[in-house]
Amino acid sequence: MFTNMIIKKLPSKLTALFRISLYTIFALIMLCLLVDKGVSFYVRDKIFTNIDELPSRAYALVLGTSKYIVGGKPNAYYEYRLAAAKELIDHQKVNYLLLSGDNRTVQYNEPRAMFRDLRKMGISETSMFRDFAGFRTLDSVIRADKIFQVQAFTIVSQKFHCERALLIAKAHDIDAICFVAKQPELHLSTRIREVFARIKAVLDLILGVEPYFLGEPEPLPPQ
C-alpha cells in the first residue's frame, strides 16, 4: 500500500521506471535465494554431521581461514575446523590431512598456522601435508584433485562453506564428501556474504575459471 501511494504521486515515466526497478530488485533477490537454496539441495547427500555415519577416506582436505579476527581475538571458525580435523584422525576416519589455505605474506600463512596448531593437538607431522596455494575455495578443491592427486577426500569446514566447496567438487567430477565442523554464532553479514560467494562460485563454474596457480603434479602418498 505504501509503495502504491508513492507510485501514484510520481510522473508517468518515473512511475514506469520505478516499477521496473522494483521488479528488477525483486527478481535479483529471488535469484540469489534460488542459487543459495539450490546449492544446499544439490549437495545435501554429501554432508555429514555424525562422525559414526561418515565413510572412511584416506585424506581430509581442511579448508583454511585466519587464526585471528579483527582485534586479535581467536577465530572460532579456525578452532572448530582444527577440532573437527583432529576428530577425524582420532576416530580413524582419515589417515592424512591436507591443510590448504592462503599464504599471501610471510606473516599470514594459513597452512603453516594449522600445521603448528595441529601438532600441538597431538597430530603427527607425517599425517599432515600443506597446500600453500589454496587462495580460494575453488583453488583448494581443484588442487587437491589435480596437483596432489587425492582421488577421494573429506572436506572439513562449517556447513555453509562445505556446501559451496562440494558444489565445486561435483561440478569438476571430484569425489568429495564433507564432515561439518561446529558452527560459531552465525551473523547475518556472514550469511549474506555466503550468498554472494555462492553466486560467484556458480559464475566461476559457468565461465570455467581455474585456480590462480596449478603447476606440476605433486602426488601425495598412496591412498
Side-chain angles (χ1 to χ4, degrees):
M1 181 180 293
F2 179 71
T3 303
N4 289 334
M5 290 175 61
I6 294 176
I7 291 175
K8 288 178 181 180
K9 293 181 180 180
L10 293 173
S12 57
K13 289 185 179 180
L14 287 179
T15 298
L17 181 61
F18 187 72
R19 287 184 184 276
I20 292 172
S21 299
L22 281 179
Y23 294 149
T24 300
I25 292 171
F26 178 75
L28 288 174
I29 292 173
M30 293 304 297
L31 177 62
C32 290
L33 293 175
L34 181 63
V35 170
D36 181 51
K37 297 301 181 183
V39 169
S40 298
F41 182 80
Y42 182 56
V43 300
R44 68 195 185 284
D45 60 328
K46 302 289 186 180
I47 298 284
F48 293 86
T49 56
N50 187 338
I51 197 164
D52 294 327
E53 298 174 356
L54 180 73
S56 296
R57 297 279 175 100
Y59 280 87
L61 172 65
V62 186
L63 298 177
T65 186
S66 58
K67 184 175 179 177
Y68 301 102
I69 58 176
V70 177
K73 296 181 179 180
N75 183 357
Y77 284 90
Y78 175 90
E79 294 177 351
Y80 291 150
R81 289 182 199 181
L82 266 56
K86 184 178 186 301
E87 190 176 0
L88 291 177
I89 292 288
D90 290 346
H91 283 74
Q92 299 181 341
K93 289 295 183 176
V94 301
N95 300 321
Y96 304 101
L97 303 175
L98 175 57
L99 313 175
S100 180
D102 197 345
N103 174 31
R104 68 185 73 171
T105 67
V106 175
Q107 292 76 26
Y108 188 87
N109 190 314
E110 293 173 354
R112 183 178 62 192
M114 288 190 287
F115 184 86
R116 289 176 175 175
D117 288 337
L118 284 165
R119 280 195 62 193
K120 294 176 183 177
M121 295 166 67
I123 305 299
S124 169
E125 281 189 34
T126 58
S127 299
M128 295 185 288
F129 301 90
R130 288 163 288 184
D131 176 14
F132 295 106
F135 304 117
R136 300 170 300 170
T137 304
L138 180 142
D139 299 60
S140 295
V141 172
I142 294 180
R143 282 176 56 81
D145 176 63
K146 289 187 177 182
I147 300 303
F148 299 103
Q149 299 184 357
V150 179
Q151 296 177 359
F153 52 87
T154 298
I155 297 170
V156 177
S157 191
Q158 279 70 32
K159 185 178 179 182
F160 67 85
H161 191 198
C162 274
E163 290 173 342
R164 176 157 44 94
L166 287 169
L167 167 71
I168 295 167
K170 288 189 73 170
H172 287 271
D173 198 26
I174 296 171
D175 185 0
I177 56 178
C178 179
F179 180 55
V180 174
K182 183 178 177 181
Q183 173 65 54
E185 181 183 357
L186 187 59
H187 298 290
L188 179 60
S189 58
T190 302
R191 193 65 189 87
I192 292 174
R193 283 199 303 270
E194 177 59 24
V195 171
F196 286 106
R198 292 184 179 199
I199 292 171
K200 185 178 187 307
V202 170
L203 290 175
D204 285 345
L205 294 173
I206 292 172
L207 298 174
V209 174
E210 292 290 331
Y212 286 130
F213 179 76
L214 279 174
E216 296 298 321
E218 303 174 27
L220 293 183
Q223 303 158 44

